[in-house]
Amino acid sequence: MDELHMNTKDITALVLDAAKKARKETSGEGGYASRTSIAWPVNCIVGPGLEGAIACESKIGYVNGVKGALIYRGYDIFDLCAYSTFEEVSYLLIFGKLPTSAQLNGFKKELIEARKITETLRMLMGFPVEKMKAMSALRMGTNFLRHEFSYIDQDDHEIDLKSVIGSDEDSIPMETVPRGEKHAIYEFKRKKRRKTSSRHLHSAAGYKSCYSLISGIACIAGAVNRLREGRLPIEPREDLSHAGHLLYMMTGRMPTPAEERIMDISLILHADHGMNASTFAAMVVASTLSDLYFSVGAGIAALNGPLHGGANEQVIRMLQEIGSVDNVKPWFQRAQLEKRKIMGFGHRVYKAYDPRARVLRPMAEYLAASNKEAAKLFKIAGSLEKITVSSLGKEKKIFPNVDFYSGILYQALGISPHMFTPIFAVSRVSGWAARVMEYMQNNRIFRPRAIYSGTFDEKYVPIRNRR
Ligand code: SDX
């Protein structure tokens, strides 16, 4: 049996070693500030890009940038990687507690059922997917899922417009202080749906849409990869875990236990991360009472940006551009002179080592042990990490983030760079769904302000007199 086929206890040991190292290195960084619930309105110092702004209260996930810690519903990410699975973590994020075995089996059954996306794939194959950016095809796929599984596109579902409250009624004049309205002002009174649609459709904003998107996005990612390779999508199976099924749908071959476990841990690591840009985008769309399919589509659109989700693809390009360990130092010095951002480094919140990178690094190394190309990239990455942290770590708190090693790991699993960000979305859809479902419990449309620094009392000049 080769290295990769070792049973997955070795991988648990890698995670626990990473946990021990992290806890040792950050033991001096104090504990977590426990918070009771917020009494709105709150004071916060806000920087550009809403940096520091408190958008809402949440019990879903906590990121401690100083300690470099990540918590999902009170559980430390290292423990979840060592002992849990992506299905169990998705349940935890959405429902707020670890499931009993009956609850987990029921949840898994829903996810397996939601793998059957025949009509969605038929619609997807009507487009030149092989010529599209994978993230664009993925986002398009969310609209097909919405059409196939929710009644919202059926004629028997109109909103009772009489009950609609214009969004302006909630935006307060610039000069007044936020009221901190406690309860949702918007409630569209949906007409009771006539039971006309024969198909098994569900609301586009309920838990069923969570299952349909968590499974559907994974199957669409698999199909997009196959179509881009000029092949047909693979029929879904019922006998594989979410991670195993994703790899199978992507590569067309059964993953080894080690590959399946490493993909599962990577999906756990990417599932939620506080108010990151894509989660916030998903919540903003949901707050208008749109629906979860459109919210996830907005999340995919935001994640597409290289400052957010697309960095791991850039990391591979960067490591290939460096080309050898000997070239790391001259390359880094040139990058510094050109004020280039090193992809896979730095973070808006983490001013310490990203705990996710702490787990992804040894898993990438594990896979690289039997993959020549990955081994070469891993060596270059290790040397780049050393020189970057020694020059930017102390002074600018620039450390590796989640994207620095994930690309090497995915490439070693047989996934090409154009699918890295879609895989990020396959995982983050659980976090997006959980955060949207939580926020909708006490919804309020997101409507921040902009400070107007323009002019006033301009006189209109007809175009013939303009110079
Ligand atoms: C993710 O929000 C999330 O949680 C996101 C995420 C998630 O799980 O959802 O964690 C996923 O987005 C990971 C980040 C992936 N992106 C990259 O790896 C791209 C490279 N990183 C940078 O673009 C940057 O670090 C950001 C965008 C991630 C964060 O940047 P900030 O906090 O807005 O910081 P900044 O751009 O204002 O930079 C502050 C200083 C600057 O130097 P000075 O002008 O003060 O001299 O730090 C420097 C920057 O030049 N800096 C870097 C750097 N990142 C910041 N210098 C070199 N390389 C970098 N990567």
Side-chain angles (χ1 to χ4, degrees):
M1 229 153 78
D2 72 13
E3 202 90 39
L4 272 185
H5 283 78
M6 263 158 60
N7 75 35
T8 57
K9 275 202 301 289
D10 289 51
I11 298 166
T12 306
L14 291 180
V15 175
L16 293 175
D17 283 349
K20 209 161 86 202
K21 189 165 177 288
R23 287 165 185 151
K24 189 158 147 273
E25 287 174 9
T26 60
S27 54
E29 299 294 351
Y32 305 135
S34 69
R35 287 176 175 69
T36 51
S37 55
I38 282 188
W40 298 101
V42 284
N43 277 324
C44 43
I45 314 268
V46 183
L50 290 182
E51 189 163 1
I54 296 172
C56 64
E57 181 183 329
S58 173
K59 295 182 173 19
I60 291 180
Y62 169 68
V63 181
N64 183 307
V66 175
K67 263 181 95 69
L70 175 57
I71 309 271
Y72 291 169
R73 295 275 190 190
Y75 295 88
D76 183 285
I77 196 68
F78 291 114
D79 290 347
L80 293 173
C81 289
Y83 307 116
S84 190
T85 64
F86 179 68
E87 289 91 327
E88 186 176 74
V89 164
S90 298
Y91 185 99
L92 172 68
L93 289 170
I94 294 171
F95 296 105
K97 62 182 189 54
L98 286 175
T100 61
S101 49
Q103 287 165 333
L104 183 58
N105 291 336
F107 184 66
K108 282 182 180 173
K109 216 160 137 270
E110 292 279 4
L111 294 183
I112 288 171
E113 187 49 35
R115 288 174 184 173
K116 296 167 194 148
I117 58 169
T118 326
E119 204 175 324
T120 293
L121 292 185
R122 191 182 56 72
M123 291 187 270
L124 193 70
M125 288 193 270
F127 286 81
V129 167
E130 66 290 349
K131 295 198 188 94
M132 296 171 81
K133 187 161 191 221
M135 286 295 269
S136 162
L138 199 72
R139 191 163 80 91
M140 189 170 69
T142 56
N143 289 333
F144 300 149
L145 284 174
R146 181 174 184 275
H147 186 75
E148 180 173 3
F149 294 108
S150 88
Y151 55 73
I152 209 155
D153 279 355
Q154 316 309 321
D155 54 7
D156 64 350
H157 173 82
E158 302 103 32
I159 285 183
D160 164 12
L161 290 177
K162 283 193 296 313
S163 72
V164 170
I165 306 165
S167 65
D168 299 5
E169 290 173 58
D170 184 46
S171 53
I172 50 174
M174 280 293 285
E175 289 63 28
T176 54
V177 172
R179 288 188 303 266
E181 193 70 43
K182 266 228 167 316
H183 294 293
I185 295 185
Y186 302 103
E187 288 306 336
F188 289 116
K189 290 185 193 47
R190 281 208 165 93
K191 268 187 183 155
K192 275 264 153 292
R193 195 164 61 81
R194 291 191 306 279
K195 286 244 168 291
T196 50
S197 29
S198 52
R199 285 183 300 163
H200 174 67
L201 298 174
H202 50 249
S203 133
Y207 287 106
K208 276 277 190 192
S209 54
C210 298
Y211 311 146
S212 141
L213 282 154
I214 292 171
S215 264
I217 293 283
C219 294
I220 293 170
V224 166
N225 192 47
R226 298 281 295 180
L227 291 166
R228 285 175 63 99
E229 291 174 351
R231 301 173 204 214
L232 283 176
I234 294 178
E235 274 301 304
R237 295 173 62 130
E238 306 199 349
D239 58 343
L240 292 174
S241 70
H242 194 81
H245 194 250
L246 172 67
L247 282 172
Y248 170 68
M249 298 289 270
M250 299 278 294
T251 62
R253 67 174 177 79
M254 294 294 271
T256 65
E259 291 171 331
E260 181 176 356
R261 180 73 196 285
I262 286 176
M263 176 51 88
D264 191 47
I265 292 174
S266 181
L267 291 175
I268 291 173
L269 288 167
H270 287 81
D272 183 68
H273 208 251
M275 271 292 127
N276 59 85
S278 55
T279 297
F280 186 51
M283 290 171 68
V284 168
V285 169
S287 77
T288 68
L289 297 192
S290 179
D291 64 61
L292 189 65
Y293 290 90
F294 278 150
S295 298
V296 166
I300 291 172
L303 191 64
N304 177 59
L307 286 191
H308 182 18
N312 49 12
E313 211 181 316
Q314 318 274 335
V315 168
I316 295 292
R317 294 220 181 92
M318 174 182 78
L319 297 175
Q320 286 165 343
E321 179 194 327
I322 294 172
S324 70
V325 171
D326 297 345
N327 189 32
V328 165
K329 191 161 178 213
W331 182 90
F332 178 78
Q333 286 163 342
R334 232 183 2 265
Q336 286 296 283
L337 284 175
E338 294 159 3
K339 284 208 163 297
R340 264 175 79 170
K341 293 216 166 157
I342 322 281
M343 289 293 124
F345 281 88
H347 199 276
R348 177 60 65 82
V349 179
Y350 288 124
K351 302 307 167 196
Y353 212 105
D354 186 330
R356 300 168 296 178
R358 287 182 184 275
V359 179
L360 289 163
R361 184 186 198 288
M363 291 202 305
E365 186 172 26
Y366 181 99
L367 292 173
S370 53
N371 180 307
K372 236 164 94 252
E373 172 59 12
K376 181 176 170 217
L377 294 178
F378 184 80
K379 274 208 188 77
I380 298 170
S383 151
L384 181 59
E385 174 188 339
K386 267 203 203 85
I387 191 167
T388 307
V389 171
S390 63
S391 356
L392 302 173
K394 233 178 161 54
E395 175 215 336
K396 291 197 174 174
K397 306 282 177 227
I398 306 274
F399 295 93
N401 62 44
V402 67
D403 285 302
F404 189 55
Y405 288 103
S406 58
I408 300 174
L409 181 151
Y410 292 148
Q411 194 144 309
L413 288 174
I415 295 166
S416 22
H418 65 259
M419 290 309 294
F420 290 177
T421 311
I423 298 245
F424 194 141
V426 165
S427 164
R428 190 55 56 90
V429 63
S430 292
W432 294 331
R435 297 248 175 200
V436 163
M437 298 307 278
E438 180 188 56
Y439 189 73
M440 297 314 280
Q441 308 301 319
N442 192 2
N443 180 50
R444 186 169 169 76
I445 193 166
F446 282 104
R447 206 308 185 182
R449 301 167 151 188
I451 290 281
Y452 177 67
S453 57
T455 57
F456 290 97
D457 306 327
E458 294 284 350
K459 290 275 163 285
Y460 184 79
V461 177
I463 191 155
R464 60 179 178 284
N465 305 338
R466 289 175 214 160
R467 293 288 160 265

